[in-house]
Every structure is written in structure tokens, then in C-alpha cells.
């Protein structure tokens, strides 16, 4: 069993829809949770960072962590074609260098 | 600011050949990382460095070597290339420890094929 599970998709939705992307994990020691966005043929870039449980909002993006269920989510409101990318979740057990990555979900927003 | 730069962008190697992937960052970051990304597998950490002269193994170090003689440069050496090393290689950097270690800045990647 992988430490971090993420559905690879692709997930295709119409422009303007609300998108929900998810990851599950098995290591209860994870405390730091990140979402990175990766455009085709580019390196990943940090989108959202959350420590422990709860919600965090940044513009059209909301990150949610449910440690009791070992489940994290990224919501995108009013999705745009420019949001089409692969979204990778990453997490870490403590304040150190090493991130454990999900496989990434490919998201396609249709105009 | 160029950020993190990697060369080459693409490379085809024959089995048994060696090569060095170059990585340079101009953000004065202390931490640097090498990852490989295989389809459907996410990113795997190969090696990392917390400063010049200090390197350590990540999750998948076999078949690779690194050095860090300056803050800016972190080359990755492949010795005796094997088909299992066909992958996309990303170099990344971050400012330091704590929360700043999670904001990693990535280069554009090197696509390596070993045949």
C-alpha cells in the first residue's frame, strides 16, 4: 500500500464548475500538507500549504485536511481553462526536507 | 532571477554510459533536492543537500551520486545508466528548514531515456 494515494484521473469538467481533488494517506504522523500544480512539461509549483487539520482559503482555492479520516482535499471554484494541469498532493511527518508525494491528478477544464 | 535551471532538457543514453545532470539556483537557497518522476508514480527523492558540502540519500539513491561544492550548484551523476533510470528528473531548492522547506522551487526538468 502506498503511503499517499491519489486518483490519477484524468478529471474533465466544464468551465465554471467546482472541482474537488483528493488524497488519502496511511501515516498518522503526517502533519504538513501541500498541494502543488504542475503544467505540462514544467516543474511543480506550490499552490497551497496547510499545517495539521482545518481549512485554508486562497482566492478560488480551498485546501481541507481531515486528519481523523486521513483525507485531504483541494477545491477549485469557478474553474478556468488555465487551471488545466496535474495537481500533486505532498505531505510530511515533521518539519524537515522530505515530502511524500501523491501520483498526481490530471485535471482538464473544458471551455 | 532565473530561479532553478537544469541542463540538458533532453538526453538519450545507451546502457552503461554515464552522464551528469546540471542544476543551478540563483535564490541563495540552502536546501536543494533531486527528484525523479515516473508516470503514475509521483515524485521520488533521490538525494538532497542542506548546504554546501553536505549531502544525504533520499528514497531512491541507488545508481546516482551527487556533490555540492557551492550553494548554487547541485549536479547529479548517473553511473552505468540502466533502462530503469529512464525518467524525468527535477531539481528543486528551498530556503531552509521549517515551513520554508515545503515551498520548493522546481527547475523545468531533464527528460532522460536509456536504451
Amino acid at each position: 500500500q502506498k503511503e499517499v494515494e491519489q486518483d490519477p484521473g484524468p478529471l474533465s469538467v466544464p468551465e465554471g464548475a467546482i472541482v474537488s481533488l483528493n488524497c488519502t494517506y496511511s501515516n498518522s504522523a503526517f502533519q504538513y500538507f501541500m498541494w502543488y500544480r504542475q503544467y505540462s512539461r514544467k516543474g511543480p509549483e506550490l499552490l497551497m500549504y496547510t499545517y495539521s487539520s482545518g481549512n485554508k482559503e486562497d482566492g478560488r482555492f480551498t485546501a481541507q485536511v481531515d486528519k481523523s479520516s486521513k483525507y485531504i482535499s483541494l477545491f477549485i471554484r469557478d474553474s478556468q481553462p488555465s487551471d488545466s494541469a496535474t495537481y500533486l498532493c505532498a505531505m510530511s511527518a515533521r518539519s524537515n526536507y522530505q515530502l511524500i508525494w501523491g501520483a498526481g491528478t490530471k485535471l482538464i477544464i473544458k471551455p | 532571477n532565473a530561479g532553478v535551471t537544469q541542463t540538458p532538457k533532453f538526453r538519450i543514453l545507451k546502457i552503461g554510459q554515464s552522464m551528469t545532470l546540471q542544476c543551478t539556483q540563483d535564490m541563495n537557497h540552502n536546501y536543494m533536492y533531486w527528484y525523479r518522476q515516473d508516470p503514475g508514480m509521483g515524485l521520488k527523492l533521490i538525494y538532497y543537500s542542506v548546504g554546501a558540502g553536505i549531502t544525504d540519500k533520499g528514497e531512491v539513491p541507488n545508481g546516482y551520486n551527487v556533490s555540492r561544492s557551492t550553494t548554487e550548484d547541485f549536479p547529479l551523476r548517473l553511473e552505468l545508466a540502466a533502462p530503469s533510470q529512464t525518467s524525468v528528473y527535477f531539481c528543486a531548492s528551498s530556503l531552509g528548514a521549517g515551513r520554508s522547506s515545503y515551498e520548493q522551487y522546481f527547475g523545468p526538468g531533464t527528460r532522460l531515456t536509456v536504451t
Side-chain angles (χ1 to χ4, degrees):
Chain A
Q1 183 192 4
K2 292 181 184 177
E3 272 193 290
V4 178
E5 299 275 2
Q6 187 175 11
D7 187 333
L11 176 62
S12 182
V13 302
E15 183 177 355
I18 296 174
V19 175
S20 172
L21 302 166
N22 311 294
C23 287
T24 59
Y25 61 94
S26 58
N27 188 342
S28 58
F30 286 148
Q31 295 181 56
Y32 302 87
F33 304 92
M34 279 67 63
W35 286 96
Y36 277 75
R37 178 176 61 195
Q38 185 177 21
Y39 290 113
S40 182
R41 306 253 168 184
K42 302 285 187 185
E45 57 179 344
L46 181 65
L47 198 56
M48 299 283 283
Y49 163 84
T50 311
Y51 170 68
S52 193
S53 286
N55 292 359
K56 186 172 183 178
E57 191 172 320
D58 184 1
R60 296 184 295 110
F61 298 88
T62 300
Q64 202 170 74
V65 175
D66 182 349
K67 291 188 73 180
S68 62
S69 301
K70 296 192 183 69
Y71 189 88
I72 69 170
S73 301
L74 178 70
F75 298 96
I76 307 174
R77 290 184 299 280
D78 188 25
S79 56
Q80 304 294 311
S82 59
D83 295 327
S84 297
T86 296
Y87 290 79
L88 300 112
C89 62
M91 43 198 84
S92 180
R94 54 191 169 92
S95 182
N96 68 3
Y97 59 88
Q98 191 156 355
L99 301 181
I100 307 300
W101 295 80
T105 299
K106 183 173 183 177
L107 175 65
I108 300 167
I109 309 295
K110 298 175 292 184
Chain B
N1 254 358
V4 179
T5 56
Q6 292 182 238
T7 57
K9 287 187 171 52
F10 305 93
R11 184 73 186 266
I12 298 174
L13 278 183
K14 293 192 186 308
I15 294 170
Q17 287 185 323
S18 301
M19 75 165 294
T20 299
L21 281 66
Q22 302 291 347
C23 176
T24 300
Q25 54 92 7
D26 63 359
M27 297 174 283
N28 203 31
H29 284 173
N30 290 317
Y31 284 37
M32 295 188 74
Y33 318 82
W34 273 106
Y35 291 97
R36 59 178 288 171
Q37 186 176 36
D38 300 315
M41 297 296 289
L43 290 160
K44 301 288 186 186
L45 183 66
I46 304 171
Y47 272 95
Y48 69 99
S49 169
V50 301
I54 306 169
T55 63
D56 208 346
K57 296 177 181 178
E59 189 180 355
V60 290
N62 290 345
Y64 308 94
N65 273 302
V66 294
S67 59
R68 183 113 180 257
S69 56
T70 67
T71 299
E72 296 78 20
D73 300 306
F74 190 40
L76 177 72
R77 178 83 178 160
L78 275 73
E79 305 282 1
L80 297 174
S84 61
Q85 293 178 304
T86 294
S87 189
V88 181
Y89 291 84
F90 287 102
C91 179
S93 71
S94 65
L95 184 59
R99 180 193 165 165
S100 61
S101 69
Y102 302 122
E103 186 163 8
Q104 297 184 12
Y105 294 80
F106 283 78
T110 294
R111 294 180 178 274
L112 176 68
T113 301
V114 182
T115 62

